[in-house]
Amino acid sequence: MQLKPDQVDTIQLNSRERCIYLKVISPGLYDKLLQTYDTPSDFRYESGETTKVTVSAADTQTTTVRCFNLPPEVPHHVLSNYGSVLDIRDERWSTQYLLPLNNGVKAIRMELKQSIPTSLKIANYDVNFSHPGQEVNLQNLDFLGPRYNYICNVGDEQRGTTIVYRHGINVVSSEMHPSGRLTSLLTDMNTLYVNVYLHSGTNRKREREDFFTNQMPFYLRHRFHKIMLAGDFNCVLTAKDQKPEYHPSPALQRMCQDLNLIDLWEVVHGNADGFTYFRNNSASRLDRWYTNKGCQVDVQNIPNTSVPFSDHYCVIVSCRADYTTPPYGRSYWKLNSRLLHDEQAATEFKELCNSLHTRTQKSNKDAFQAWTSIYKPAIQSFFKWKGIEQARARRSTLDFIIL
């Protein structure tokens, strides 16, 4: 922007909004900059990679909304109900990824009038949204369905840990750290599962070390046959796992020695790089799985997978279970609550309720008998039918997009 130091009053970095606030010394210079940079400009990094940069007035509150699972052929006009769309930017895979292409996630800069729901149905697609200040129930994972149970632990900072497990696994006890940084459960087969999310950044090393030394031992006090300790440790143990600088954790090293823990990635891949986090010219393997020696024979594979909704890679462990879950047949029916927001379905449902009310009045049944024999079966049948109908519509939309 070719500004001189005496023309700038303040520079503020906002990592959450991924923007920079710049305050200049005069209104005239302010207006000139807005006129000069009224269209997106190209910014070139030292690596040669370019990105679009937009300059706008900071007194107009804007929010970056990230959009997932929306095919590129589908427009975004539905968001006009929630505010004004200023610009849309396609996010890309990390330059460390095999193909540095668009990852399907869109960053939409908006002037929001109201919070956007975490999920909207657009062109029969379930599209997910996230933005700062979004009203969301982080502890409700019922969308997983009846085959899975879960323990969700969210702290005051709206961050936390979760363990999801198959229905049929018997849990003896579960515990949660008040901050949301640790969740654990113990099964009847004496297997202890622990999920952690430690403090990030070199400036919070003391907090991480204190967590390992003074707080985690309480959750590891159980007598277990096998332990599966996993999560985002935000620190490493060996120099090969962090480039170019190396920030080890002595407390985690002591804990691994005391519990006789081994790194599952190293069991399968040896000394191969398995970085899960990239930032500028640095790379770290912050996300790991540990288990106690003697149990590593159960591990089949452990790949790292890129995901568009996180700046960390996902670490997936495939292992042989030491128990059998019961054969899972037909699950119980559960109402898809999204159907309640469909205007056509809502209209048809009101008509159904009117007809059921008329039918009940003509019968001699009391309220309980009417609910169990008339209302409940009819409501279940109606929403099953509507769900099948919308699934067929989604398949036809997919055929249309392929064409």
Side-chain angles (χ1 to χ4, degrees):
M1 301 179 76
Q2 299 180 348
L3 291 173
K4 298 178 181 179
D6 58 356
Q7 292 178 308
V8 179
D9 179 86
T10 304
I11 296 178
Q12 178 182 347
L13 304 180
N14 188 326
S15 59
R16 188 171 187 180
E17 285 290 327
R18 298 183 182 181
C19 68
I20 300 175
Y21 290 106
L22 179 69
K23 183 179 180 181
V24 294
I25 60 173
S26 68
L29 181 58
Y30 169 83
D31 294 334
K32 181 180 178 181
L33 290 174
L34 291 180
Q35 293 175 4
T36 303
Y37 299 98
D38 59 340
T39 57
S41 305
D42 288 326
F43 177 82
R44 184 179 296 276
Y45 295 94
E46 293 180 355
S47 63
E49 185 179 355
T50 61
T51 185
K52 292 289 184 182
V53 176
T54 303
V55 178
S56 61
D59 52 6
T60 301
Q61 293 187 353
T62 61
T63 301
T64 299
V65 179
R66 302 183 74 228
C67 173
F68 310 85
N69 302 335
L70 183 65
E73 297 84 357
V74 180
H76 302 78
H77 58 80
V78 67
L79 295 181
S80 60
N81 297 328
Y82 299 93
S84 302
V85 177
L86 302 180
D87 57 65
I88 300 174
R89 172 175 55 86
D90 289 313
E91 295 191 357
R92 299 172 66 85
W93 291 105
S94 165
T95 54
Q96 304 291 332
Y97 190 61
L98 179 63
L99 296 174
L101 307 174
N102 294 343
N103 60 19
V105 180
K106 296 186 180 296
I108 307 171
R109 198 165 60 91
M110 298 183 61
E111 295 179 8
L112 284 180
K113 293 185 291 188
Q114 58 178 314
S115 176
I116 301 178
T118 56
S119 179
L120 288 175
K121 187 170 289 295
I122 302 177
N124 288 321
Y125 285 93
D126 291 326
V127 184
N128 298 321
F129 296 91
S130 68
H131 65 79
Q134 187 176 38
E135 299 175 2
V136 56
N137 184 356
L138 297 174
Q139 301 194 45
N140 187 347
L141 303 182
D142 288 346
F143 62 85
L144 294 172
R147 296 190 178 206
Y148 297 93
N149 297 323
Y150 61 88
I151 301 172
C152 193
N153 181 17
V154 180
D156 295 336
E157 298 179 1
Q158 297 300 295
R159 296 183 179 184
T161 50
T162 296
I163 297 179
V164 180
Y165 57 97
R166 280 290 302 268
H167 176 77
I169 296 177
N170 296 320
V171 175
V172 177
S173 65
S174 62
E175 296 176 323
M176 299 182 288
H177 192 274
S179 67
R181 293 192 177 275
L182 183 148
T183 302
S184 69
L185 66 82
L186 180 67
T187 70
D188 61 348
M189 301 296 292
N190 289 327
T191 299
L192 179 64
Y193 294 90
V194 183
N195 184 14
V196 297
Y197 163 62
L198 273 296
H199 312 76
S200 61
T202 55
N203 59 323
R204 305 191 71 179
K205 179 179 179 179
R206 180 177 296 180
E207 295 176 77
R208 281 197 303 273
E209 296 296 286
D210 176 75
F211 196 91
F212 286 131
T213 304
N214 299 319
Q215 300 185 57
M216 276 193 67
F218 172 79
Y219 299 92
L220 303 175
R221 69 192 187 281
H222 303 282
R223 298 186 63 179
F224 52 81
H225 169 67
K226 181 169 74 173
I227 182 174
M228 297 293 284
L229 170 62
D232 179 4
F233 292 88
N234 273 312
C235 59
V236 298
L237 295 182
T238 59
K240 70 178 180 62
D241 288 331
Q242 197 164 48
K243 307 292 183 183
E245 297 181 359
Y246 167 45
H247 302 285
S249 170
L252 178 58
Q253 183 71 57
R254 288 193 300 269
M255 188 181 73
C256 290
Q257 292 174 353
D258 292 342
L259 296 177
N260 210 16
L261 299 181
I262 55 174
D263 188 327
L264 289 182
W265 173 270
E266 295 179 348
V267 170
V268 177
H269 300 286
N271 291 325
D273 291 338
F275 299 129
T276 63
Y277 180 74
F278 299 90
R279 175 62 60 87
N280 297 330
N281 295 321
S282 65
S284 304
R285 190 166 70 91
L286 304 178
D287 307 87
R288 301 185 296 278
W289 285 77
Y290 292 98
T291 190
N292 44 325
K293 286 184 179 179
C295 297
Q296 67 269 25
V297 294
D298 295 336
V299 180
Q300 309 296 316
N301 193 19
I302 177 169
N304 291 347
T305 303
S306 298
V307 289
F309 51 82
S310 174
D311 56 356
H312 286 235
Y313 276 44
C314 176
V315 185
I316 303 174
V317 171
S318 301
C319 59
R320 184 175 66 249
D322 53 1
Y323 45 78
T324 57
T325 57
Y328 213 95
R330 186 177 181 182
S331 61
Y332 66 84
W333 176 78
K334 181 180 179 182
L335 171 64
N336 183 355
S337 59
R338 290 194 179 98
L339 293 173
L340 300 176
H341 301 286
D342 185 284
E343 293 183 1
Q344 181 180 353
T347 302
E348 295 176 7
F349 180 63
K350 290 178 181 178
E351 295 175 356
L352 172 66
C353 289
N354 291 333
S355 64
L356 294 177
H357 180 67
T358 302
R359 179 180 168 187
T360 302
Q361 287 182 324
K362 294 180 178 180
S363 69
N364 295 323
K365 301 180 183 296
D366 58 29
F368 180 77
Q369 291 174 330
W371 166 249
T372 56
S373 63
I374 298 178
Y375 280 94
K376 186 176 180 180
I379 292 173
Q380 180 178 354
S381 177
F382 171 80
F383 282 107
K384 278 185 177 180
W385 167 68
K386 291 302 294 185
I388 295 173
E389 185 182 65
Q390 291 199 2
R392 289 173 179 168
R394 281 195 296 271
R395 284 195 292 269
S396 65
T397 304
L398 278 172
D399 294 339
F400 170 75
I401 291 177
I402 291 172
L403 293 175

